[in-house]
Amino acid sequence: MCIRDSSWRAWIAEAENRYRVLSIWCRQVHVLGLSFGASIALQLNVRPRPRSLVLLAPALHPRVGLLGRLALGLGLHRRPFFRKRLGWKSEVLDGMEAAREADWWKGVPVYAAMCEDDHRIDLSSLNHLRRRSSNEKTRIRTFPAGGHVFVETEPKDELRKEILDFLREN
């Protein structure tokens, strides 16, 4: 499958197919998603349910200014004029919106983390997960710095340890 030629719905279908194959061979499956991959993870509709979700820089709310938030709220991001100014593909914004509405994962332990200086994703993404999560093992974490793909920056060792501890507990 060529990702750049596919829709976010096709990415979800592909992830669900791969999850089903993996769950045949493994008793416990944990799902990890980075950025838009975290949005995809939140939309998986699979059985058995994953043991946990690890969501790094979860792309649920893009970091945009006031005009951008207004345009998104009114659905104007689908218009070429606004889409170009927002700096996001409308397909990705639609996928983020669908991920915000997904609720199958309620009850599943979630580890979610992002950096305060993330230039792509707004911290309200973590607040969204915090409000919607119902599992007491869920951990929501912010790091002061590290950017968007912070797995290769300063907090990487601390992040790696926290994720491994979370996976062991679940």
Side-chain angles (χ1 to χ4, degrees), residues 48-59:
R49 287 170 53 157
R51 191 84 174 150
S52 71
L53 292 172
V54 175
L55 309 173
L56 305 176

Side-chain angles (χ1 to χ4, degrees), residues 80-162:
F81 173 81
F82 285 100
R83 183 174 47 230
K84 186 175 182 179
R85 296 212 172 8
L86 288 172
W88 290 87
K89 293 183 178 183
S90 60
E91 180 79 20
V92 172
L93 294 171
D94 290 343
M96 287 184 192
E97 183 179 354
R100 290 191 303 269
E101 295 170 4
D103 65 356
W104 71 266
W105 58 271
K106 288 183 179 178
V108 173
V110 175
Y111 177 92
M114 66 184 293
C115 296
E116 294 172 7
D117 67 346
D118 189 321
H119 66 284
R120 297 293 293 161
I121 306 300
D122 194 84
L123 283 172
S124 61
S125 297
L126 291 184
N127 294 333
H128 177 88
L129 293 170
R130 188 178 285 116
R131 283 190 311 272
R132 304 231 13 221
S133 180
S134 61
N135 189 296
E136 73 253 1
K137 292 182 179 181
T138 290
R139 293 185 199 166
I140 309 289
R141 175 75 196 276
T142 58
F143 292 92
H148 183 61
V149 186
F150 60 102
V151 293
E152 292 298 324
T153 58
E154 186 60 36
K156 70 179 178 182
D157 293 331
E158 185 177 357
L159 175 68
R160 187 177 300 124
K161 181 186 179 318
E162 285 185 11

Side-chain angles (χ1 to χ4, degrees), residues 1 9 18 24 28 47 49 59 67 70 74 81 95 103 107 109-110 113 119 137 160:
M1 174 169 93
R9 288 180 181 92
R18 291 173 188 237
I24 290 169
Q28 299 178 7
R47 294 279 183 227
R49 287 170 53 157
L67 181 61
L70 181 61
L74 295 173
F81 173 81
D103 65 356
V110 175
H119 66 284
K137 292 182 179 181
R160 187 177 300 124

